[in-house]
Amino acid sequence: MSDLPNVRVNGARLWDSLMEMAKIGATPKGGCKRLTLTDLDKQGRELFRRWCEGAGCTVKIDEMGNMFARRAGEDMSLPPVIIGSHLDTQPTGGKFDGVLGVLGALEVVRSLNDFKIRTRHPIEVANWTNEEGSRFAPAMVSSGVFAGVYTKEFAYSRVDQEGKTLGEELQRIGFMGDEPVGGRPVHAYFELHIEQGPILEAEGYDVGVVTHGQGLRWYEIRLTGFEGHAGSTPMPRRKDALLGAARIVELVNKIGLSKAPLGVATVGMLNPYPNSRNVIPGEVFMTVDFRHPIGETLDAMGTAFREAVEDITKAGGLTYDLKEVFYYAPVPFDPACIEAVRRGAERFGYSHRDIVAGAGHDACYMAGVTPTSMVFTPCVDGISHNESEDIKPDWATYGANVLMHAALEKAEIVA
Ligand SMILES: [Zn+2]
């Protein structure tokens, strides 16, 4: 890239595109509501397709509605470098989550056109269907099908709250394409995304070099003690399930703190029974969420938790039923792709730090089928999945420039 010192994206054009896309599903508080496979999503997809065709790309749509806008490479026998993210949003979502990654990737293509840069590998801009998982659970289902994690039939059968299936809605908006989903070679995958956390902004960094996708373990526990009269049951005779739960809340927090800053641990749900002011709680249902980017550490958090639950319940005269209900393995991104992102940041003189993706991303599934990494930009106050989600135009530009460099390194410039 040293021979191309002036190649950078057009930040103003990128910002204009972001603002234009944000009009589709704009909310009164300045956010965006463009739920997957709704009429608004269809409008967003059509605008994106027009823009891609305007940039000379060939747009193909697969059977999951994933869109791939291909900029030809010099050697069409080579697999593409895919760059992208998602255009769908949460019900009270923002203008940038996902959208920056798709339109940043489009801006990369537009800029390569401006500078008449040719690459050996084709470059494809991707828009993944239903990343958010808000209307149809689970999240990232279509990159999941692409990567062979889910079957197409499973994805089609997902149901929203009105009883409509993902498959029907994909048909209805006219975006069930005929390309097979995945099963084709991909040279590399890069995704630009807002951090959705406070670290980069708080520490004053321009971009984040994403090294891992976080893994998680979810547990559900039911503690059983014995209901008794709050006035007449002596303290030593009690089997108070809520007291056990309180000790577990404290325990979970300690485990999180012991693995900070990378580890996090949360009790999000706590239902005591019978939940009456003068009854000693006889039963508690609670949920626990552990996350860490390193597999062994995440496992150690789970083990420490199980052992301490055993001790706490024994001491409190309680019995318990503990289930692990969800496990998502940590995703280490590809070292060469991470390095390409880091070099991109250095090339433009951007301050950068390594960072872990705390949320799930399509990149986490793509990492299973091709060398992958991500670029993060800061977001104001770390706020995301919120209408007030915000970034500075410069941050969008920095992120897109790094994305361009990383993609070019893999796609190889033809002199
Ligand atoms: Zn996202």
Side-chain angles (χ1 to χ4, degrees), residues 34-271:
R34 204 167 47 241
L35 290 176
T36 191
L37 308 182
T38 56
D39 291 348
L40 289 170
D41 184 30
K42 175 186 165 83
Q43 278 182 45
R45 287 164 173 268
E46 283 168 351
L47 176 60
F48 170 63
R49 175 159 54 190
R50 275 203 304 282
W51 280 341
C52 291
E53 288 171 352
C57 293
T58 310
V59 179
K60 290 195 173 172
I61 300 166
D62 74 14
E63 294 168 310
M64 280 307 303
N66 297 319
M67 302 173 72
F68 301 97
R70 187 178 179 101
R71 182 180 193 264
E74 292 298 298
D75 185 345
M76 291 306 274
S77 69
L78 292 177
V81 173
I82 301 183
I83 50 178
S85 192
H86 59 96
L87 290 174
D88 69 322
T89 75
Q90 291 286 329
T92 52
K95 300 190 279 287
F96 306 102
D97 172 1
V99 188
L100 175 64
V102 177
L103 300 184
L106 171 63
E107 177 52 41
V108 167
V109 165
R110 287 169 163 172
S111 297
L112 296 181
N113 293 344
D114 291 347
F115 288 95
K116 299 189 169 53
I117 291 172
R118 296 174 301 143
T119 56
R120 283 188 70 221
H121 290 261
I123 293 178
E124 293 183 12
V125 179
N127 170 34
W128 300 104
T129 299
N130 187 38
E131 190 277 345
E132 291 291 358
S134 171
R135 184 178 176 201
F136 298 102
M140 306 175 289
V141 73
S142 305
S143 53
V145 177
F146 190 97
V149 176
Y150 301 118
T151 64
K152 206 170 59 183
E153 291 66 34
F154 169 82
Y156 286 164
S157 66
R158 300 301 90 204
V159 181
D160 72 3
Q161 286 190 359
E162 293 170 20
K164 294 175 181 163
T165 67
L166 186 151
E168 287 159 10
E169 287 294 274
L170 196 51
Q171 286 276 10
R172 186 188 66 78
I173 69 161
F175 272 85
M176 187 181 283
D178 46 22
E179 293 288 314
V181 189
R184 61 182 173 116
V186 177
H187 189 54
Y189 178 76
F190 294 100
E191 182 165 349
L192 167 63
H193 207 283
I194 60 170
E195 180 196 339
Q196 302 180 284
I199 297 170
L200 294 175
E201 187 195 32
E203 296 182 4
Y205 288 102
D206 297 327
V207 292
V209 178
V210 187
T211 58
H212 293 76
Q214 208 162 37
L216 63 86
R217 286 187 183 276
W218 281 358
Y219 298 92
E220 288 179 1
I221 323 166
R222 193 171 293 279
L223 300 172
T224 306
F226 197 78
E227 283 130 55
H229 195 290
S232 53
T233 314
M235 295 306 285
R237 293 181 69 100
R238 296 182 177 212
K239 294 180 178 172
D240 184 339
L242 187 55
L243 180 63
R247 289 178 175 149
I248 290 173
V249 173
E250 179 74 32
L251 160 75
V252 167
N253 182 257
K254 267 194 194 128
I255 292 173
L257 284 171
S258 75
K259 305 297 180 193
L262 293 179
V264 286
T266 308
V267 172
M269 201 189 282
L270 191 76
N271 296 325

